[in-house]
Amino acid sequence: MLVLKNLLRSRAGAVGVAMLALMLAGAALVPVLSPWDGYALDFGAAMQPPSLSHWFGTDNFGRDILTRVLTGALFDLRIAVICVFGPMAFGTLVGLVAGYFGGRVDAALMRLTDVVWAFPFYVLVLAIVGVLGPSEANLYIAFFVVNWIGYARIVRGETILIARLEYIEATRVLRFGTLRVLLRHILPNAVTPALVYAMSDVVLTVQAVAALSFFGLGVQPPAPEWGILIVESIDYMREAPWMTLFPGLAIVWIGIAFSLMGEGLSTALKPKG
């Protein structure tokens, strides 16, 4: 709660939270904002431009784009949050253990990260999803395998620095348990840079999920995922540019929101003095 309070005191953080809240509110209030079913086909209303009836227009199947964009927010944000904070939790644990114990434990864990780090991010994700098959569950697996590396490295570096501080040396003299030292005295300080990094990682993950859907390896139609909406609009960009415009703007909106939240979080968690 204190972090959120400090985040809202930052102008950038407050704007980012407001933008995210507005998107989530829109997704939650879809039945109120739009009377249209985002899955129902109506070929008689295909590719209608934005109007009072259809604020964002309709697609080539006559489906309301506003409804699908807002519903898609739940898909993309759910996928992004799981694909970021799941690997973050695992990577934080690995970095914490490696940085605190050092020696052979550190060497073994870091060699594991080096193996995964050697492969380009998108190449490895594409390979995993390509082997397992396109589905939302397989997206989670692919991102979990690849995405924890950055957090492990960040937390390991912070843990090494914190473990040398006097108050940590004092906990050893007082014979505090290892688990207590790691979770209560090191983790709260070591995880701060990882949280800031996670905000930008959410942005990259939303873009990556949309890109995978563009190649047919992400969430599958008729789910209203933003990448799918853009893919379905490619052949109609001249006749119905709004089909591409609004899902693209939704991705930009979320990207700006989390970028501002990351900036605000960095300010909120910066040590005072």
Side-chain angles (χ1 to χ4, degrees), residues 188-212:
N189 297 303
V191 78
T192 297
L195 285 172
V196 176
Y197 175 72
M199 294 297 103
S200 61
D201 201 17
V202 169
V203 178
L204 296 175
T205 301
V206 169
Q207 295 172 348
V209 170
L212 288 170

Side-chain angles (χ1 to χ4, degrees), residues 134-213:
S135 72
E136 185 175 335
N138 290 338
L139 275 180
Y140 297 146
I141 295 173
F143 277 90
F144 189 90
V145 169
V146 178
N147 226 22
W148 64 274
I149 304 297
Y151 298 101
R153 287 173 172 263
I154 291 171
V155 174
R156 171 185 176 268
E158 291 296 313
T159 301
I160 290 174
L161 294 175
I162 295 170
R164 296 172 180 172
L165 298 178
E166 292 183 359
Y167 80 94
I168 299 299
E169 294 293 338
T171 63
R172 296 192 181 103
V173 173
L174 295 172
R175 296 185 178 180
F176 286 179
T178 300
L179 194 60
R180 176 181 176 181
V181 173
L182 286 173
L183 298 182
R184 294 187 59 182
H185 301 286
I186 295 181
L187 178 60
N189 297 303
V191 78
T192 297
L195 285 172
V196 176
Y197 175 72
M199 294 297 103
S200 61
D201 201 17
V202 169
V203 178
L204 296 175
T205 301
V206 169
Q207 295 172 348
V209 170
L212 288 170
S213 296

